[in-house]
Amino acid sequence: SADNTNPTEKVRIDNYGFCRQPYKYHLIVERSGNLSGVDVAGNFGTAFVYNNIALEQKDSGLSSAFNTSNGLFTVPVDGIYFCEASVYAPGVSLSQGWFVVNGSRQTYTDWVQATTSSIVNVNAMIKLTAGNTVGFHPHGGGGQSSVQINATPNHTWMRITFMG
């Protein structure tokens, strides 16, 4: 605090000059079970629903920033976030994926795979404002409007880390 009556450590500088933040937001979410009926051909602004928080490291003063009912992360503070997501759909041809911000396909986050696969993985650094919502959308195209995404901690997950 400004009057030093109740100081709180926010940054630590180590012997090499690297800044370390003792409280940095980090989230890992996954599926608790398979999800059927996922539209990977359309609905470009709809986020895939990860329904289980595997890990959420945050300052104790922050409430949870993830909604397990709609798969959306609500940004707690302005800054740069590193976002990664993956889904696994056996027998499905996934060709790309992107992040959805505030219900729209986020520019510069598309990852297009050279060949289709049953797994799609995307990562991006995104500048976000407190209150923005972030989700992930896998895409397959070609009539795949009702597929099953399998729950597996190795292939169906999303991670979001506040970088600063």
Side-chain angles (χ1 to χ4, degrees), residues 38-52:
V38 178
D39 184 355
V40 297
N43 294 326
F44 292 177
T46 302
F48 176 74
V49 179
Y50 297 94
N51 68 346
N52 184 53

Side-chain angles (χ1 to χ4, degrees), residues 65-84:
F66 191 76
N67 185 329
T68 56
S69 65
N70 63 15
L72 293 175
F73 164 72
T74 300
V75 176
V77 295
D78 294 1
I80 304 295
Y81 289 78
F82 184 64
C83 304
E84 301 175 274

Side-chain angles (χ1 to χ4, degrees), residues 107-154:
T107 308
Y108 309 116
T109 68
D110 282 35
W111 279 62
V112 179
Q113 299 180 153
T115 58
T116 60
S117 172
S118 58
I119 298 173
V120 64
N121 180 274
V122 174
N123 62 67
M125 304 246 338
I126 309 172
K127 183 178 181 187
L128 297 165
T129 302
N132 287 163
T133 58
V134 180
F136 173 67
H137 183 86
H139 184 69
Q144 298 182 87
S145 60
S146 185
V147 304
Q148 177 175 295
I149 305 293
N150 282 20
T152 165
N154 293 326

